[in-house]
Amino acid sequence: MGDDKDLLVVQTNEAVGRFAVAKEKLKAGDIIFSEKPFAYGPKSDTYCVCLGCFEPVDSTVLCTKCSWPVCGPECEGRLCHKEYECEVFSKAKVKFQAVEDPTEVCLQYECITPLRVLLAKEKDPKRWEEEVKFMEPHNDVRKEKPIWEFNQHNVVEYLRGPCKLDRFSEELIHTVCGILEVNAFEARTPTGYLIRCLFPKLAILSHNCVSNIHHAIDCKGTGDSEDFSSYTYSLWPTLVRREFLKESKFFDCRCERCSDKTELGTHNSTLKCNKCDNGVIMSTDPLDDRCEWKCTHCEFKTHAVAVRKVFAAIQADIDSVEYIGGPKGIEGRETIYKRYKSVLHPKNAYMSILRSSLVQLYGRADGYELDDLPDILLERKVELCMQLLEVLNVIEPGRSRIRGLTLYELHGPLMMLARHQYQNDVISKEEFRHQLQKAIDTLLESVDILKQEPESLPEGQLAVMAMAAHKQLTESFDMLVETA
């Protein structure tokens, strides 16, 4: 990212520390700022990846200088590897130890991203002092957790021992590990693989479970209100979000959404009561992860711990089909959807998560291509999109990536259904024109959102396709009506 724009000013108070506010009143779609990462590299608990492009590798091709996994000469020469760990490993003669299964977690990689941060500190001391040094590592809390000993063995002792980097103190290395754990953001490479990046300016943004900004990370390359990002997956229920924030970011979120039993009316955490007909089960105190959960209509009670176990079981079912596409992917997700329909509120987080996957599959999977879908499945896709958007309007308002994708998925079945209804004399030509225009407007809104995404990523590429499709549909609108 370039550093060509900055509409943020950093402020400090005793309650929350450093936070960011806009310099001027912002409107939807404004680019607030851009920045280059201070450092980036493999995620923790990664499998074997190329240290140049981060694609999975079988670890048989090694860098000719340091003997760590790469794809080949091109990746060996990438600056992120060549000018960082490659020099250290070559000088210390620290070689990668062969592994039996390169798809399993490889602890040898734990040192890579912390090492890149340490070396970036030496290469750019001014930026370290001005931007990175002040990032919170929460060492006081982390010292009491297993992660401290894990890092001591896999990062601190490895870098100061075999890698001969005793110029970096144990305290500094632990601090860098903490800065990464608390502040790093996930990003996708152009080929879709996840890495972690340290963006000091982005990390200043305070967390809120309903964010008012959205960030896009390209791996290729004023007002009084505070600007909020979100450190969690917005579709998760409160129990899961707060647990994640407590374990990984070391704070208890008390935002408006977390404090509300209904999650701002979305019922993202609500369950159905199986003891009565009309009751739903909600937390008596969303900020207490051990409180009672009660039915709104009968005397039924349960415990937050029990609810968390239910959520974990549902998540495990969803995880079991995560990488299954095609017809089996649709059938598997629909089976889970039906299984929990009587357990979860219709707007519950896990229903929304399933909808998000299904809207992507209907229209693309073999045997479920858009042109071949019967009206009942076209209506199903529209229903899933509309239900998902109803939730997103509250928890991800504005021009969020998932909203843009959902709108794109919605425009196709809207067009197909309108055409079928007109052909079967269900609607008039005038109504058909209206419905067709509605679908085209939906596509335009999707374009307006997704065009903000880097073209190196799938969403940015989709924006280019959607823009071309919108232009074609607009130009041929009258012909589409007359020839339907």
Side-chain angles (χ1 to χ4, degrees), residues 284-464:
T284 56
D285 182 0
L287 300 182
D288 180 358
D289 61 3
R290 294 188 171 277
C291 71
E292 279 191 330
W293 284 52
K294 293 182 178 180
C295 175
T296 55
H297 278 62
C298 72
E299 299 300 314
F300 178 77
K301 299 177 183 178
T302 187
H303 197 277
V305 174
V307 174
R308 185 66 185 89
K309 288 180 180 177
V310 171
F311 288 167
I314 299 172
Q315 185 64 63
D317 279 350
I318 294 175
D319 290 344
S320 71
V321 297
E322 181 178 1
Y323 297 108
I324 301 176
K328 288 187 177 179
I330 290 177
E331 293 158 12
R333 289 170 177 82
E334 287 285 17
T335 297
I336 297 171
Y337 191 97
K338 291 173 185 173
R339 181 182 305 153
Y340 294 111
K341 197 172 182 180
S342 62
V343 177
L344 303 174
H345 187 282
K347 292 183 183 178
N348 184 280
Y350 296 103
M351 304 301 271
S352 294
I353 290 169
L354 287 166
R355 289 180 185 115
S356 180
S357 296
L358 285 167
V359 299
Q360 301 286 325
L361 288 170
Y362 278 122
R364 288 192 174 85
D366 291 341
Y368 289 88
E369 288 86 355
L370 196 62
D371 289 340
D372 299 326
L373 289 181
D375 283 2
I376 191 170
L377 289 184
L378 289 171
E379 290 169 355
R380 172 68 171 152
K381 179 161 180 165
V382 169
E383 177 188 49
L384 291 169
C385 288
M386 297 301 289
Q387 290 171 336
L388 181 56
L389 286 168
E390 189 177 351
V391 173
L392 295 177
N393 287 341
V394 178
I395 66 174
E396 284 216 18
R399 301 186 179 192
S400 67
R401 186 178 298 112
I402 187 173
R403 179 179 177 81
L405 292 171
T406 306
L407 288 167
Y408 179 82
E409 295 299 333
L410 176 60
H411 94 276
L414 285 178
M415 289 182 61
M416 300 289 291
L417 282 170
R419 184 183 296 119
H420 294 168
Q421 289 176 333
Y422 177 55
Q423 289 170 343
N424 293 311
D425 295 324
V426 176
I427 59 176
S428 65
K429 178 183 282 192
E430 192 57 37
E431 180 60 20
F432 174 51
R433 290 180 68 91
H434 174 73
Q435 294 296 333
L436 189 60
Q437 187 61 56
K438 179 181 176 182
I440 294 174
D441 291 345
T442 299
L443 177 60
L444 179 60
E445 186 179 352
S446 171
V447 169
D448 286 341
I449 295 171
L450 296 179
K451 70 183 181 183
Q452 299 173 123
E453 299 293 323
E455 287 189 18
S456 62
L457 297 180
E459 293 86 355
Q461 295 162 14
L462 181 62
V464 174

Side-chain angles (χ1 to χ4, degrees), residues 25-191:
K25 188 173 182 179
L26 302 172
K27 55 184 184 297
D30 277 348
I31 297 175
I32 303 174
F33 70 90
S34 58
E35 67 173 326
K36 294 177 181 177
F38 183 75
Y40 60 92
K43 294 176 59 183
S44 186
D45 293 333
T46 187
Y47 40 75
C48 291
V49 296
C50 168
L51 290 177
C53 70
F54 309 104
E55 290 205 29
V57 293
D58 59 11
S59 72
T60 58
V61 178
L62 303 176
C63 174
T64 59
K65 294 183 177 61
C66 68
S67 299
W68 277 65
V70 291
C71 291
E74 182 180 348
C75 288
E76 179 178 322
R78 290 180 185 256
L79 297 183
C80 67
H81 169 64
K82 179 182 177 181
E83 295 189 357
Y84 286 81
E85 68 274 355
C86 185
E87 292 183 358
V88 172
F89 294 157
S90 300
K91 186 176 180 180
K93 295 181 171 55
V94 175
K95 297 182 178 180
F96 184 79
Q97 302 300 309
V99 295
E100 290 185 8
D101 185 354
T103 66
E104 294 289 331
V105 171
C106 183
L107 296 181
Q108 294 178 74
Y109 282 87
E110 294 297 324
C111 72
I112 299 296
T113 308
L115 173 56
R116 290 185 178 184
V117 175
L118 291 164
L119 296 175
K121 173 182 179 293
E122 293 183 331
K123 293 175 185 291
D124 193 351
K126 183 174 184 290
R127 192 176 180 198
W128 168 271
E129 289 292 327
E130 293 178 353
E131 298 183 13
V132 184
K133 183 179 179 180
F134 299 101
M135 300 175 82
E136 179 57 67
H138 288 289
N139 283 347
D140 53 339
V141 180
R142 292 171 57 255
K143 281 181 181 178
E144 307 302 320
K145 294 182 176 290
I147 189 65
W148 189 270
E149 285 302 317
F150 178 86
N151 287 333
Q152 176 70 24
H153 177 69
N154 292 290
V155 183
V156 177
E157 292 175 5
Y158 187 73
L159 293 181
R160 286 173 52 81
C163 292
K164 302 177 182 177
L165 294 175
D166 55 0
R167 67 180 186 269
F168 298 124
S169 69
E170 289 196 9
E171 182 183 5
L172 175 61
I173 299 174
H174 273 298
T175 293
V176 164
C177 289
I179 286 173
L180 284 167
E181 289 159 19
V182 176
N183 300 281
F185 286 83
E186 278 191 355
R188 281 176 297 159
T189 66
T191 47

Side-chain angles (χ1 to χ4, degrees), residues 4-16:
D4 55 342
K5 190 167 187 176
D6 192 345
L7 296 179
L8 288 185
V9 59
V10 178
Q11 298 183 0
T12 306
N13 70 30
E14 293 183 3
V16 299

Side-chain angles (χ1 to χ4, degrees), residues 223-277:
D224 295 325
S225 60
E226 187 174 352
D227 288 315
F228 293 105
S229 179
S230 178
Y231 304 161
T232 69
Y233 183 39
S234 64
L235 291 181
W236 281 342
T238 295
L239 271 175
V240 179
R241 290 196 318 279
R242 296 188 80 246
E243 179 182 46
F244 172 82
L245 292 168
K246 182 69 172 178
E247 290 298 315
S248 65
K249 306 299 181 183
F250 309 107
F251 72 90
D252 292 306
C253 186
R254 296 178 174 273
C255 71
E256 183 182 3
R257 179 181 170 192
C258 284
S259 303
D260 184 5
K261 297 175 185 179
T262 70
E263 293 204 38
L264 307 179
T266 64
H267 289 281
N268 225 42
S269 299
T270 306
L271 296 88
K272 287 183 178 178
C273 181
N274 60 5
K275 303 295 183 183
C276 65
D277 292 333

